[in-house]
């Protein structure tokens, strides 16, 4: 850039704008501005030319029209390397605008207010701002366009050093179109809700915005590439928003397992620990303390727990940390860690430690998304819970005991997070055997028994979906199960109930299924 003759600045977010304007003025730029931005710059001692004075056209229609003028857009879109453009600009008295610093009316902030009216939302739809940004970004070879205040410093440094490269110009232009695309999608989403007369669960056009956080070493397997993206403006405590306190870089599979572990441990109000291996729980337990819960979870399946991913729903203390470091663990995710626990855990240089903040009163957000080749399937997240098992249907002759009710309530929460076909053997507050991902339910029942290293006799069994045949009940009885919690709804329910009665088992029907594919 030979020199900066003119810069246009018009921002809603005034963070750093005074320093940016002073820097541009110091480089010899005439500063054009409007409204509140012009006022703020003048008050800071920056010489400003009002856009209305520059164009010779006043702001009209309550400020809706102020920058929509040929002297503005001609100055942005005119190509300096095309003689015909230069001649036409001179013919019409259009001066080049070399730098544009613009951010938009706060539409998202406006509609986030509970008392935001439709008229207020409409007035917060920016027209001139996106138009200037798009014009400048289209002609980025000649115009430096800045939409993100975090870029002010590096842009000033590049301009001052005469190092405004083509690569940087393109990067700044890319940011503009990413920004305006999201802005338009917010407006479209808001208007769709108004047209439909309320909340639109599944919009006709689904626009998703995620920011790339990091490039991963590889994807699910070493021959695949991978990256981690974070949903913009999500506030729910999650692995995606966790602070990595220690350890080597997270892998694709680490993220999957840590997410599964945290989402399961969120199910419990009591102190709980979850151990995940290959995206399935291999141990879940409650305890009076974090260390007690961890030891009980680990004891479910010590072999599978080796190299696992652990989630706590309470801060990790020194006692729990010492147990964790006694074996090989990949990741620990928790609301936080005491200083003593961190010191102990950091002795393991590769152990990844993720702090997600308090889990209490977390408000679930977002969709459950699964990518298909050429498409996407979208659903609500499975947030279904059972508040009181004692009000549910018990079709068997024998009713559950208090301990069986407690164990069933615990097992049902765990079963929801096991890959289907899912079977969980449990006692109150501790898993005993987990059968995951089998193609037939009876095989999952048998696998749960095979995986059990703790005594099964007297335990309960949870099933994520109904039993199509009585064979699963017979296999559970043979293993020592005394009570079952399952959705019911099979055409052979009577056959299944009869089997439970023959084995003197209690059975609870939830009426709710928890497939997890």
């Amino acid at each position: 850039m030979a020199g900066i003759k003119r810069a246009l600045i018009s921002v809603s977010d005034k963070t750093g704008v005074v320093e940016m304007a002073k820097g541009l003025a110091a480089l010899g730029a005439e500063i054009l501005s409007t409204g509140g931005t012009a006022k703020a710059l003048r008050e800071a001692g920056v010489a400003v030319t009002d856009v209305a004075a520059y164009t010779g056209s006043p702001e009209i229609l309550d400020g809706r029209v102020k920058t929509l003028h040929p002297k503005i857009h001609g100055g942005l879109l005119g190509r300096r390397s095309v003689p015909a453009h230069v001649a036409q600009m001179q013919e019409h008295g259009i001066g080049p605008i070399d730098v544009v610093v613009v951010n938009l009316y706060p539409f998202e902030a406006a509609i986030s207010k509970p008392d935001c009216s439709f008229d207020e939302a409409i007035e917060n739809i920016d027209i001139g701002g996106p138009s200037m940004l798009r014009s400048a970004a289209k002609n980025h070879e000649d115009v430096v366009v800045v939409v993100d205040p975090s870029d002010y410093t590096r842009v000033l440094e590049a301009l001052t050093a005469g190092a405004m490269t083509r690569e940087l110009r393109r990067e700044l232009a890319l940011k503009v179109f990413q920004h305006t695309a999201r802005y338009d999608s917010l407006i479209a989403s808001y208007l769709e809700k108004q047209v439909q007369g309320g909340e639109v669960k599944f919009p006709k056009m689904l626009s998703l915005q995620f920011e790339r956080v990091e490039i991963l070493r590889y994807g699910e397997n070493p021959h695949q590439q991978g990256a981690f993206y974070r949903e913009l403006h999500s506030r729910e405590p999650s692995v995606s928003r966790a602070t990595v306190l220690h350890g080597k870089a997270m892998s694709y599979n680490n993220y999957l397992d840590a997410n599964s572990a945290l989402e399961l441990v969120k199910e419990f109000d009591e102190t709980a620990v979850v151990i995940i291996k290959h995206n399935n729980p291999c141990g879940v337990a409650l305890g009076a303390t974090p260390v007690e819960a961890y030891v009980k979870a680990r004891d479910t399946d010590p072999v599978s727990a080796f190299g696992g991913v652990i989630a706590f729903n309470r801060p990790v203390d020194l006692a729990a940390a010492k147990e964790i470091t006694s074996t090989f663990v990949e990741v620990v995710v928790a609301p936080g860690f005491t200083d003593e626990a961190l010191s102990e855990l950091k002795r393991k240089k590769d152990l990844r430690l993720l702090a997600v903040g308090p889990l209490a009163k977390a408000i679930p957000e977002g969709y459950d998304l699964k990518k298909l080749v050429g498409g996407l399937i979208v659903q609500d997240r499975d947030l279904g819970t059972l508040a009181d098992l004692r009000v549910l249907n018990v079709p068997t002759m024998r009713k559950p005991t208090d301990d069986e009710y407690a164990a069933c309530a615990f097992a049902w929460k765990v079963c929801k997070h096991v890959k289907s076909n899912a079977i969980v053997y449990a006692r109150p507050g501790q898993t005993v055997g987990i059968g995951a991902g089998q193609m037939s339910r009876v095989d999952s029942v048998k696998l749960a028994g095979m995986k059990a290293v703790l005594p099964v006799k007297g335990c309960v069994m949870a099933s994520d979906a109904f039993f199509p045949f009585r064979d699963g009940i017979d296999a559970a009885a043979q293993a020592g199960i005394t009570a079952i919690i399952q959705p019911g709804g099979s055409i052979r329910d009577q056959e299944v109930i009869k089997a439970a009665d023959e084995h003197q088992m209690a059975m609870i029907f939830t009426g709710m299924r928890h497939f997890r594919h």
Side-chain angles (χ1 to χ4, degrees), residues 104-105 107-108 111 124-126 130 134 176-194 200 203-210 231-233 367:
L104 308 179
Y105 292 172
F107 179 81
E108 185 172 17
I111 62 173
N124 274 281
I125 296 176
D126 201 327
R134 292 173 65 86
V176 164
F177 288 112
Q178 289 172 332
H179 187 81
T180 57
R182 179 169 186 274
Y183 194 76
D184 286 341
S185 72
L186 288 168
I187 296 168
S189 177
Y190 173 80
L191 289 175
E192 185 170 11
K193 292 176 183 178
Q194 305 309 306
V200 178
K204 187 172 182 180
M205 183 66 69
L206 180 62
S207 297
L208 302 173
Q209 294 286 327
F210 293 81
E231 190 171 8
L232 289 173
H233 302 298
Y367 296 110

Side-chain angles (χ1 to χ4, degrees), residues 461-481:
M461 176 176 72
S463 173
D464 65 340
F466 63 63
F467 287 91
F469 304 100
R470 66 168 289 161
D471 54 1
I473 310 304
D474 294 331
Q478 185 176 0
I481 295 298

Side-chain angles (χ1 to χ4, degrees), residues 36 51 91 103 150 173 223 260 285 291 306 317 329 339 381 387 403 419 430 459 462 503:
V51 165
E91 178 185 352
N103 55 59
S150 69
H223 64 276
S260 294
V291 66
F306 183 84
D317 58 17
V329 172
D339 291 342
R381 289 167 59 186
D403 276 355
K419 293 286 188 180
Q430 185 180 27
C459 287
H503 296 299

